[in-house]
Structures are given as C-alpha cells and as structure tokens.
Amino acid sequence: MGSLGPYQRKHKVSVVGSGNWGTAIAKIVAENAAENSDVFDKQVEMWVFEEKVEIGKDSPHYDASVSGPQNLTDVINRVHENIKYLPGVSLPTNLHANPSIEDAVKDATILVFNLPHQFILKTCQQIQGKILPYARGISCIKGVDVSEEGVSLFSERIGKTLGIYCGALSGANIANEVAREKWSETSIAYDPPHMDSKAATPQRSPTSSQVDLVQFQHRDTSGEISKVKLQALPSDYPPINHDILKTLFHRPYFHVRVVNDVAGVSISGALKNVVAIAAGWVEGMGWGDNAKAAVMRVGLMEMVRFGDKFFGATIDQRTFTEESAGVADLITSCSGGRNHRCAKLSVERNQPIEEIEQSELNGQKLQGTLTAVEVNSFLKKQGLEEDFPLFTAVYRILKGQMKVAEIPSYIER
Amino acid sequence: MGSLGPYQRKHKVSVVGSGNWGTAIAKIVAENAAENSDVFDKQVEMWVFEEKVEIGKDSPHYDASVSGPQNLTDVINRVHENIKYLPGVSLPTNLHANPSIEDAVKDATILVFNLPHQFILKTCQQIQGKILPYARGISCIKGVDVSEEGVSLFSERIGKTLGIYCGALSGANIANEVAREKWSETSIAYDPPHMDSKAATPQRSPTSSQVDLVQFQHRDTSGEISKVKLQALPSDYPPINHDILKTLFHRPYFHVRVVNDVAGVSISGALKNVVAIAAGWVEGMGWGDNAKAAVMRVGLMEMVRFGDKFFGATIDQRTFTEESAGVADLITSCSGGRNHRCAKLSVERNQPIEEIEQSELNGQKLQGTLTAVEVNSFLKKQGLEEDFPLFTAVYRILKGQMKVAEIPSYIER
C-alpha cells in the first residue's frame, strides 16, 4: 500500500485475546502486516492468557527434548500454531504470542480487542494508562449490553475505559471457517471525531502539534453524556483511516467493507440472535421457507427500527440491510447458528428451550434468549413493546405467555 | 372495511388465469370479496382455459350421474376445487370459474393477471377493447423481460396493451403453500398517475367528470417513450388505492405490504434467480454458510444497483432490502428454489447445469440461467459488466469462461 505515502513511523498492531476468534483475527492481521511492511511493524503481538499445555507423543508438535507441561505462549511461538484454541491452523511466523498483556500493548498504535465479553472491562482496567495515549482500537467482540437503562456498545466501553477511540468489527464469520481461509465477508465500523488530519477542527488545540486533544461527547441511549478526551495521532504515523483498516484486515478470503456506523454494526450482532430464535421456531413448525423468510424480514425491519429509535442520527439503516454485519450475518444465524438450531429443536421435541440448551450446549447459554429478555426489559420501560412485535413475541414465547403458532397474527399489521 | 366509505357501486374482481398460482390467488381474493361485500361484488370471476378432465371412481368428487370427461370449469363450479391445478384445496363458493375470457372480464374494475408469461400478450390482445376502460390491473406474473434493448415489465406490457394502469404483486410465495394457508408475506406495488381523487391534476380535463383522462408518459430502459391515456375511475366507485388493494389481497396467512415501486418489485423477482444460481454453486463447493451469505449479500447489492441504474428515480432501494419481493424472496430462492438446487447439484456432481436441468426438471428450463444470459447481453451492450461482477461471473461460469472457485477473487474490491 505505497499509496498510503511515506511516513517516518510504522503502526504496531497488538491483538488482545487468543481464543478461537482472537487467534483467527491475529492470523489475518499478521499476514497483512507482513505484506505491508511499509505501513506496519512486521511483528504483531498477541496477548495470550498463559496456561500450561501438554503435547502428546502422537502430536506432530511433540518434542522429546521438552518434558512435561509447557507454556501455551512458548508452544505457539515454537510451532506457530495455537494448539489449544485453533488447532490445525498454521500461524504466520511474525505473530508473537506474549504472556504479558502490558508488554504486548505498550507500543501498539492499533489495538485489536478479541476476547470473551465478560473479560473486557477487567482487561482494559489492567492496561489503563499503560498504552500509547494516541492508540486506536477495534473491538471484535460481538453484540452489545442491553439493560433497562439502555444499550451499551463494547467498543464504547473499551474507548471510555482507555481514553481512546475504538471502532468495531462484526460480520457473518465463524472463527474456524475464517481461520481455514474459507471465503467470507465482514464489516468494520470506524468513525472517530475528525482530528487525525491536518485539517484543524474547532476544538483542536492550535498550539500543540504533538498532543492534539479533541474532547468529544457521547450520549448513550440512557441519556448519559460522557466526555472523552482524545489525543491525536502524531503526524509521522500514517493516519488511521478506512483505507489503512482495510489494508490491515482485508484478505482474499476475508473481504472487508469499512463503514462509519459503529452502533449499527454492533447492535446487529446482538439483535440477529433474537430473530434467529424466531426463525428456528418457525422452521420447527414446518411452515416452510416462505414463512421463515417472512419472519427474518420482519426481524430485520425491527433491527432497523431499534437502531433508528435508540441511536437516531448516528445510525445508517443500510448497515442492517446491506452490510455483512447486518443482513448477511442474519442469514447465517438463521441457517446454522446455535440459537436457530436450539429453537427449532424445542418446537420439534416440544420441550422448553432451556432444556434443549442444557442437552445440546453443554451448559453454555444461548445468546439469543438472554438478548431477548434484555431487549424486552428496555422496550417495556420505554413503553415500546407494541412497536417491536416480533421481539416482544419472542420474549413472551420464552416466558410461556404466548405460543409460536400466534406469531403471524401477533405481528400482523 | 366500512372505513372505505359508502359508495354506490362495488368493485368487480376478475382473475385471469387458473393454474397453480392463479387459483391460489383467486381463492384469496374471493375470500376477501366475500368478507368485504360493502366494497366488492361478492362473486369473483376466474377465467379458466377450458379443458376436459376425468374424475376417477376413487375420487371424493366422483359423481356416478356424470359419465366421461367433463369441463374443468363445470367441475370447479360443482365441487369448488381446481382438481387439475390445485388439487386438495377447497375454494370459496363465491369464486366462479368462467370458460369465456370475454365474459369473465367484461364487468371487472379490478383485473388480476396470473398466467404463464408466454400467454400474456395473446391473452391481453384477446380482450383489448372488451374491458371497462377505467379498470385497473395487478400482475402476479413473476419476473421481467430483459433484452439487449432494455428491461420490460409485464405489468407495463399489460397496461400498454389494454390502455389501463397495472401494478404488480410478487413475494416469497410458493403457490401450494399459500393455497394451504401456510403463512407468508407478499409485496404489491401500485403507483398510478394521480387522478382517481377529486384533486385535479394539471392534465386532468376539468369538463368531463365521468371520463377523466390522464395522459402519462412512460420511458422504459431502452429510452422508448410511450404515452398511455388513462381513464379515471368513476367517482361512484371506492377509489382503487393501497388500502383497497390490501383489503383485497391481505389474509391472516398472507400478509401484504403495498408499496409504490412497481419496477423494484418486478425486477427483484427476476434477478434473485441469478443470485440463487451463485448461492447454489457456493453451497455446492462446501464453503459454508458465511460464504453463501456473502454471495447473497453481494447479489442483493447488485440487484439494488441494477434497479438504480436502469430505473433511477422511480425505484426505491428499500424494495430490494426491506420488502418480501426483495430480500425475503431472495432468501427463499437461495434456500430451496430450483435454481439454487440445480446449481448446487451441478457442482456436487461436476456436471454442467444444463445436464442437471434435464435430469431434474423434466425438460423445464431454469429461470435463473435464462435471466443471467439476458441480463449479461444488456450489461455488455451498456459496457457495464464490470459494475456487476457477480451477475457477470454467473454468466461467464455458465458459458464455461470462468470457474466457480474464482467467484471470491472476481467480486473482490
């Protein structure tokens, strides 16, 4: 990407998280960092929560000179494979597994967050004040937190905690397929306050060129206004913009479209699970492909309406109807996802979905049922249940207050 | 629907066509005419191309007093079932099968066209000048005619031939499922020049209240401008508008949304078949649900672009991304439709799609392959192949100039 121009410094990329999806994304950004060494530091750091692993004698990675349990990071750096969370996939040699989160992030200008959502806040607190103040983030964590009070995006929570701007990546992606380079698409949303370029904004301090600060306001759906002070990227780095993010994430097998709508990309990833539950029920009823497509269409429209109602001007409804994070992820989730599958089985076996969850998911919880309950508590408080008949129907069916057979008449209008 | 107000005259509805889909739609409008007798004449006519049928002794409809072959219309009117084209489905008793097309349409203010597209022109010519000059039409014929010269909508062809305005109905509907009252949705598009109301338009003749004429121009994609003189509906009829069309077509099991975008509703029904071929190939390759969703998303965007490019201001891109005729019909066609199925088999068996067509479809032709060729001839003439990489890839793969495995790199941008 010579078109990005000659800058004195290169971007250092760190991936925070090394699970299934974290490692798959780390593989991608390391491949691109290696191929675009004019813009990126070749070595990409991946923070790995250290643990001990055993390598059996029948493994191709068995090394007779090493006995007993080994550190996962050492194994990754020696065999270039995350044998625990992404076995069977070769990783680029320029991807470095780092057991120290502080060391992994300290020089990074681009931080990629990809870990289970329950660990985000704690992890961010751990590195507060220990990152470059002008770093930028991309959150690959799916979904949002919905409560009675409002909707909170993981990207925003990361940004607020660290005092940086953080965008989001979400799409119709299954980690194992992406890691095996099966073709898919994704959406990246990135729309920081205007400050990276030389074009001064009114809030930009004209006197300090190295430490430009922009104070921007964010109002979340609960009405809370937070002020975040954002530090400009020094001008000897290539600007972090849509082009550079595409350079970092796009692969021949992983097509990236970069948009501005962080809220849309994030809430799609949560709400589609609620629609997938409904689609699974309808399929379980044996009503045919048209009925399933109808419930998906109605769900898509409620996703649009939800975004429009609670994020207003900042949302672009085309995120839902045209991007991978929207319509494509919805289609995937309503074809083979676990929410869809468990809902379908619950109708076919005439069992509550909780029982299916227990028997099919090994104690894991469905995201769709949790989100349906959270979304309903929020809608109820706003007096808006009737404006979202499908979301409301899903909630009521989960609570035993309605039957799946009533969906068509309930959403009829 | 008392809200439509008290008018002296009622609408007479006729359905032209009595195949599988024609009879299913006739059932619906007859049910609604019976339930809304303040607005509609209760008896709905259905033109049936007369033929002789035999009723075997084991049929529940066997009548010992009638021997030998009988007229299909007589059987339908006696047993209230189209035993030939929609067996097993009871029809409303107020639906009258009529073997004379001229008699069936002569009093109709609302004409519903639902017959195979190769018979449309001839059928319309047969009733030219023999219908009420202020009648309005709805075409349920899927798809469009694409040639090097442009795109022609069946609704427009009907309208031009008969000198009336004709809208369109299309959606994620399978005749047998709709007939059996399995829930689905559909889209009706209806947007005549403004003339039915008392509010005079500039072109409206102020002197004649019974025979108001509006001359409106239609420019199709080939640039041809046709002038159609449209006669206003006499004011003693309820106006034919979105509300009345919803009253006529909406059922608890058949949810209708009425929009203005006739071109969008019509071309969706054709272009989705091209996308379904691509989705079938991708599924056949075993690339997973995400790849399939990706190719569907890209296809949807090319459908939007096609509409935008060739129908410009008259098209509403939300028809593609939000309505049953658009995204929902696309989803259905990419799940279980014959285009998708044959394409999938052609990859799995490594056979040309024509061979699959022959072995699977009993000599019938796939709509998707025909449309892909037609669309390509049009795009090629306009020098626009590169702007529609998926449509172009489908054409080239069909012609053996490209391989399915090349789709991701070909559409990468």
Side-chain angles (χ1 to χ4, degrees):
Chain A
M1 290 294 283
S3 64
L4 290 168
Y7 290 86
Q8 289 163 284
R9 302 174 74 178
K10 296 177 182 186
H11 285 293
K12 173 84 182 167
V13 184
S14 290
V15 179
V16 178
S18 57
N20 196 230
W21 186 218
T23 309
I25 283 288
K27 170 176 177 289
I28 285 171
V29 299
E31 286 167 0
N32 281 326
E35 286 179 18
N36 297 276
S37 55
D38 52 335
V39 186
F40 301 108
D41 189 299
K42 194 175 169 191
Q43 180 161 312
V44 169
E45 297 293 321
M46 173 171 74
W47 171 58
V48 177
F49 184 85
E50 191 67 285
E51 54 188 296
K52 295 287 184 189
V53 289
E54 291 269 11
I55 301 185
K57 278 194 181 150
D58 50 350
S59 162
H61 302 310
Y62 179 72
D63 181 346
S65 70
V66 193
S67 67
Q70 303 164 51
N71 289 330
L72 178 56
T73 52
D74 292 333
V75 176
I76 294 174
N77 291 329
R78 178 169 61 82
V79 307
H80 305 296
E81 181 180 322
N82 186 338
I83 60 161
K84 174 111 192 213
Y85 295 108
L86 195 59
V89 174
S90 292
L91 300 175
T93 53
N94 60 316
L95 179 64
H96 179 248
N98 195 327
S100 159
I101 186 163
E102 295 176 20
D103 188 62
V105 302
K106 68 178 195 303
D107 300 323
T109 48
I110 300 179
L111 291 159
V112 180
F113 295 90
N114 202 337
L115 66 179
H117 62 88
Q118 60 271 31
F119 302 130
I120 299 164
L121 198 61
K122 219 171 169 179
T123 307
C124 286
Q125 283 163 349
Q126 223 179 319
I127 56 174
Q128 231 169 9
K130 295 168 185 167
I131 60 169
L132 294 178
Y134 46 79
R136 298 290 181 262
I138 294 291
S139 159
C140 304
I141 300 141
K142 271 234 173 152
V144 292
D145 245 16
V146 192
S147 70
E148 248 187 35
E149 302 312 319
V151 180
S152 130
L153 313 180
F154 293 128
S155 54
E156 283 176 358
R157 205 177 290 176
I158 293 167
K160 276 196 243 176
T161 310
L162 296 178
I164 64 171
Y165 177 82
C166 186
L169 180 152
S170 180
N173 308 128
I174 293 170
N176 280 321
E177 293 187 0
V178 173
R180 279 164 185 80
E181 305 189 2
K182 283 192 173 182
W183 172 56
S184 68
E185 291 187 317
T186 205
S187 307
I188 293 177
Y190 190 78
D191 188 28
H194 188 59
M195 65 181 308
D196 280 335
S197 79
K198 302 263 171 195
T201 63
Q203 308 109 304
R204 189 171 178 263
S205 149
T207 53
S208 98
S209 68
Q210 286 300 306
V211 199
D212 292 342
L213 288 176
V214 161
Q215 179 166 300
F216 73 100
Q217 290 197 342
H218 169 72
R219 195 164 71 87
D220 65 25
T221 49
S222 66
E224 194 203 334
I225 293 180
S226 23
K227 291 187 178 166
V228 179
K229 276 199 178 168
L230 201 62
Q231 188 166 327
L233 186 76
S235 56
D236 45 1
Y237 282 105
I240 301 179
N241 53 24
H242 286 194
D243 281 347
I244 211 169
L245 291 173
K246 187 155 183 174
T247 306
L248 183 59
F249 287 97
H250 185 94
R251 297 294 297 160
Y253 59 85
F254 191 63
H255 291 193
V256 168
R257 281 164 55 103
V258 192
V259 297
N260 287 321
D261 180 11
V262 179
V265 160
S266 305
I267 64 177
S268 287
L271 296 177
K272 53 126 200 183
N273 291 324
V274 180
V275 184
I277 299 261
W281 282 334
V282 165
E283 196 170 332
M285 296 292 281
W287 290 347
D289 286 340
N290 294 308
K292 187 176 160 190
V295 89
M296 288 166 68
R297 192 201 67 78
V298 171
L300 187 59
M301 290 307 94
E302 293 195 13
M303 287 164 61
V304 169
R305 201 175 305 143
F306 191 91
D308 195 50
K309 206 114 194 171
F310 304 116
F311 290 86
T314 70
I315 218 138
D316 183 344
Q317 75 168 60
R318 290 172 305 179
T319 307
F320 300 94
T321 58
E322 302 190 1
E323 299 301 333
S324 177
V327 61
D329 199 13
L330 177 72
I331 290 171
T332 304
S333 305
C334 292
S335 307
R338 48 165 65 177
N339 291 287
H340 164 264
R341 185 165 54 87
C342 290
K344 183 164 176 264
L345 286 173
S346 86
V347 170
E348 286 170 352
R349 299 185 187 162
N350 195 22
Q351 271 184 311
I353 203 161
E354 294 80 13
E355 289 180 20
I356 303 290
E357 214 173 22
Q358 279 185 334
S359 64
E360 297 291 314
L361 297 184
N362 261 322
Q364 283 192 288
K365 285 283 176 194
L366 284 178
Q367 204 54 50
T369 55
L370 294 174
T371 305
V373 172
E374 289 171 1
V375 165
N376 183 264
S377 76
F378 180 57
L379 292 177
K380 201 180 272 157
K381 187 156 184 211
Q382 308 262 335
L384 287 170
E385 280 183 289
E386 294 302 308
D387 289 352
F388 295 84
L390 184 68
F391 291 170
T392 303
V394 170
Y395 171 78
R396 293 188 180 170
I397 293 165
L398 288 171
K399 294 292 167 197
Q401 298 160 6
M402 223 179 104
K403 288 192 187 326
V404 174
E406 293 172 72
I407 290 179
S409 63
Y410 191 74
I411 66 175
E412 183 178 9
R413 43 194 62 203
Chain B
M1 290 294 285
S3 67
L4 289 167
Y7 289 87
Q8 289 163 287
R9 301 175 76 177
K10 297 177 182 184
H11 285 294
K12 173 82 182 170
V13 184
S14 290
V15 179
V16 178
S18 55
N20 198 229
W21 186 218
T23 309
I25 283 288
K27 170 177 175 290
I28 285 171
V29 300
E31 285 168 358
N32 281 325
E35 286 179 18
N36 298 277
S37 56
D38 53 334
V39 187
F40 300 110
D41 190 301
K42 195 176 169 190
Q43 179 159 312
V44 168
E45 296 294 320
M46 172 171 74
W47 172 57
V48 176
F49 185 85
E50 192 67 285
E51 55 187 297
K52 295 289 183 185
V53 289
E54 290 270 10
I55 301 185
K57 276 190 182 153
D58 50 351
S59 161
H61 302 309
Y62 180 72
D63 181 346
S65 71
V66 192
S67 66
Q70 301 163 51
N71 289 329
L72 178 56
T73 53
D74 292 334
V75 176
I76 294 174
N77 290 329
R78 178 168 62 82
V79 307
H80 305 296
E81 184 180 321
N82 186 339
I83 60 163
K84 175 110 191 213
Y85 296 106
L86 195 58
V89 174
S90 292
L91 300 175
T93 53
N94 60 316
L95 178 65
H96 179 248
N98 194 326
S100 158
I101 187 166
E102 296 176 18
D103 189 63
V105 301
K106 69 180 195 300
D107 300 323
T109 48
I110 301 178
L111 290 158
V112 180
F113 295 89
N114 202 336
L115 66 179
H117 62 88
Q118 61 270 32
F119 302 132
I120 299 165
L121 198 63
K122 217 170 171 178
T123 307
C124 286
Q125 283 164 347
Q126 223 179 323
I127 56 174
Q128 233 170 8
K130 295 170 185 165
I131 59 170
L132 294 178
Y134 46 79
R136 298 290 182 262
I138 294 291
S139 159
C140 304
I141 300 141
K142 270 233 173 150
V144 293
D145 246 15
V146 192
S147 70
E148 248 188 36
E149 302 311 320
V151 181
S152 128
L153 313 179
F154 293 128
S155 55
E156 282 176 358
R157 205 177 290 176
I158 293 167
K160 276 198 242 175
T161 311
L162 297 178
I164 63 172
Y165 177 83
C166 186
L169 179 152
S170 181
N173 308 129
I174 292 169
N176 280 322
E177 294 187 0
V178 173
R180 280 164 184 81
E181 304 189 3
K182 284 191 174 184
W183 171 56
S184 69
E185 291 188 317
T186 205
S187 306
I188 293 176
Y190 190 78
D191 188 28
H194 188 59
M195 63 182 309
D196 280 335
S197 77
K198 300 267 168 191
T201 63
Q203 306 107 307
R204 187 170 179 263
S205 146
T207 53
S208 97
S209 68
Q210 286 300 308
V211 199
D212 291 343
L213 288 176
V214 161
Q215 181 167 300
F216 73 101
Q217 290 195 341
H218 169 73
R219 194 163 72 88
D220 64 26
T221 49
S222 65
E224 194 202 331
I225 293 180
S226 22
K227 291 186 178 167
V228 179
K229 276 199 175 166
L230 202 62
Q231 188 165 324
L233 187 74
S235 56
D236 46 0
Y237 281 105
I240 301 178
N241 53 24
H242 285 193
D243 281 347
I244 210 169
L245 291 173
K246 186 154 184 174
T247 306
L248 183 58
F249 287 96
H250 185 91
R251 296 295 296 160
Y253 59 85
F254 191 64
H255 291 191
V256 169
R257 282 164 55 106
V258 192
V259 297
N260 286 322
D261 180 9
V262 179
V265 160
S266 305
I267 65 178
S268 287
L271 296 177
K272 53 128 200 181
N273 291 323
V274 180
V275 184
I277 298 263
W281 282 332
V282 166
E283 197 171 330
M285 296 293 282
W287 289 347
D289 286 339
N290 294 309
K292 187 177 161 188
V295 88
M296 288 167 69
R297 192 200 67 76
V298 172
L300 186 60
M301 289 308 94
E302 292 195 13
M303 287 165 62
V304 169
R305 201 175 306 143
F306 191 91
D308 196 49
K309 205 110 192 175
F310 303 116
F311 290 88
T314 70
I315 218 139
D316 183 344
Q317 75 170 60
R318 291 173 302 178
T319 307
F320 300 94
T321 57
E322 303 190 1
E323 300 300 333
S324 177
V327 61
D329 199 12
L330 176 73
I331 290 171
T332 304
S333 305
C334 293
S335 308
R338 48 164 64 174
N339 291 288
H340 164 263
R341 185 167 53 87
C342 289
K344 184 165 176 266
L345 286 173
S346 85
V347 170
E348 287 170 353
R349 300 187 186 159
N350 195 21
Q351 271 184 309
I353 202 162
E354 295 80 16
E355 287 179 22
I356 304 288
E357 212 172 25
Q358 278 187 334
S359 63
E360 297 291 314
L361 297 183
N362 259 323
Q364 283 191 289
K365 286 283 174 195
L366 284 179
Q367 203 55 50
T369 55
L370 294 174
T371 305
V373 173
E374 289 171 0
V375 164
N376 184 264
S377 74
F378 180 56
L379 291 178
K380 201 178 273 158
K381 187 156 185 210
Q382 309 262 334
L384 288 169
E385 280 183 291
E386 294 303 307
D387 289 353
F388 295 85
L390 184 68
F391 292 170
T392 302
V394 170
Y395 170 78
R396 293 189 180 169
I397 293 166
L398 286 173
K399 294 292 166 198
Q401 298 159 8
M402 222 178 107
K403 289 193 186 326
V404 173
E406 294 172 71
I407 290 179
S409 64
Y410 191 73
I411 66 175
E412 182 177 12
R413 45 192 66 205

